[in-house]
Amino acid sequence: MLTELLRQAETPTLSIGYAELGPREGPAVLLLHGWPYDIHTYADAAPLLADRGFRVIVPYQRGFGTTRFRDDAAPRNAQPAALALDVVALMDALDIEVATLAGADWGARAACCVAALWPARCTALVAVSGYLISSQATGAAPLSPTAEHAWWYQYYFATERGRLGYARYRNDFARHIWQTASPRWAFDEATFARTATAFDNPDHVEIVIHNYRWRLDLAASDPGLDDLEAKLAQLPPITVPTISLEGDANGAPHPDPSTYAHKFIGGHAHRTISGGIGHNLPQESPRAFVAAVDDALVLQKRRPARGVKL
């Protein structure tokens, strides 16, 4: 289990819990999980990558697992720039200058943000569901009724009833999301329970609620992050070589690949993984995910990133 490999890294804001596998001298790859998941999204993919010679780092996001705020008074902020800065701060703490970034859900959002803001730190990118950079302005635009329905939990979390409900029923909530986002994933109770312990983090509820409320401009931003959010709000292109992935049975809201291919200008390939693969693609199809990490580096060698800085 990845939890048997846990370490802590100290950054200016967080003490980040992370698992590390593989040779320290190998090319670094950071595997970033989403909500309501945890590091075990990569329970099978991480050892496969380590066997290929990668230095594999699998951190808990803020609000999950053993990651803790160093200052009890710090705002429990989960806006995109904050999650992206966590990735860079972890790389700094571990003396990793460049790494392949690979993620799903919140993890893919953070990875895309880092690749756009600090391309010199990102060797290559693997993004489940593709280009996931957004802004409060784009979040304000109404969608079709069908699309809005898929985001029901975002509106639930916008209410005090939703916050209290999530605090009381977080495991039931997560299980429901797993079932609806990956309707053909036959996970067992032990697999779910292994991840659910990550939701016992004392900051978990506040982090989740802030993330979704921020998207609707219902939660405060950190003024110190305004410049970064302004850059992200421009929906910048990503200049590092990228492979995007999508499952053929993803039941969660996700963009069509045709809508974001033009955002990847440093070399891009897209793969739709068949076989009833849902939203938690790295855990449901680890070999396809690992192949994408391998091939993203091949793409990088053929078409090096241009390293445009914002």
Side-chain angles (χ1 to χ4, degrees):
M1 286 178 56
L2 294 181
T3 49
E4 296 173 353
L5 304 172
L6 282 179
R7 308 177 184 185
Q8 294 294 128
E10 303 305 311
T11 74
T13 302
L14 301 171
S15 176
I16 297 178
Y18 70 99
E20 180 168 350
L21 302 80
R24 186 175 179 83
E25 67 277 8
V29 56
L30 270 68
L31 306 180
L32 307 174
H33 73 81
W35 171 87
Y37 307 99
D38 83 325
I39 60 174
H40 291 101
T41 286
Y42 305 103
D44 296 318
L48 291 173
L49 287 166
D51 288 344
R52 283 164 166 73
F54 287 96
R55 181 186 181 187
V56 185
I57 308 295
V58 194
Y60 280 114
Q61 296 265 21
R62 53 173 61 193
F64 293 78
T66 60
T67 293
R68 297 287 189 275
F69 283 83
R70 298 182 65 181
D71 182 354
D72 289 341
R76 272 36 180 178
N77 183 331
Q79 66 188 94
L83 299 184
L85 277 171
D86 289 347
V87 176
V88 175
L90 177 61
M91 292 174 65
D92 289 343
L94 299 179
D95 294 321
I96 296 173
E97 182 62 30
V98 295
T100 295
L101 303 181
D105 195 79
W106 286 21
R109 290 179 182 272
C112 285
C113 290
V114 173
L117 293 170
W118 301 284
R121 305 298 301 271
C122 186
T123 308
L125 173 67
V126 175
V128 177
S129 295
Y131 186 89
L132 295 179
I133 298 175
S134 61
S135 68
Q136 290 177 323
T138 56
L143 305 175
S144 70
T146 299
E148 296 284 15
H149 179 265
W151 284 107
W152 67 272
Y153 52 87
Q154 181 168 258
Y155 303 110
Y156 181 62
F157 289 158
T159 68
E160 181 62 11
R161 178 186 177 97
R163 185 187 69 78
L164 292 172
Y166 187 63
R168 180 177 296 179
Y169 300 112
R170 70 187 77 175
N171 286 2
D172 293 334
F173 203 104
R175 185 181 287 102
H176 177 72
I177 295 295
W178 282 31
Q179 291 167 340
T180 55
S182 299
R184 294 173 61 184
W185 182 27
F187 62 88
D188 59 25
E189 187 57 30
T191 298
F192 177 80
R194 180 179 62 181
T195 286
T197 59
F199 311 147
D200 293 335
N201 184 294
D203 303 311
H204 180 74
V205 173
E206 288 184 80
I207 287 296
V208 172
I209 296 302
H210 185 274
N211 181 282
Y212 287 103
R213 289 185 180 180
W214 186 92
R215 299 187 195 192
L216 297 177
D217 199 12
L218 298 175
S221 297
D222 178 349
L225 301 177
D226 285 351
D227 287 348
L228 293 178
E229 293 295 354
K231 292 174 181 178
L232 293 173
Q234 297 172 23
L235 307 183
I238 289 177
T239 62
V240 304
T242 301
I243 292 181
S244 56
L245 299 172
E246 191 57 82
D248 65 342
N250 186 356
H254 62 279
D256 187 275
S258 64
T259 66
Y260 58 69
H262 68 286
K263 287 293 188 180
F264 298 108
I265 63 174
H268 173 240
H270 176 78
R271 298 171 182 174
T272 296
I273 309 304
S274 61
I277 304 303
H279 189 61
N280 193 21
L281 185 151
Q283 193 164 358
E284 298 175 60
S285 187
R287 292 190 180 277
F289 181 81
V290 167
V293 175
D294 275 335
D295 293 344
L297 286 176
V298 173
L299 192 64
Q300 187 270 340
K301 292 175 182 177
R302 291 176 180 170
R303 299 182 62 184
R306 286 181 276 178
V308 176
K309 292 187 178 181
L310 294 175

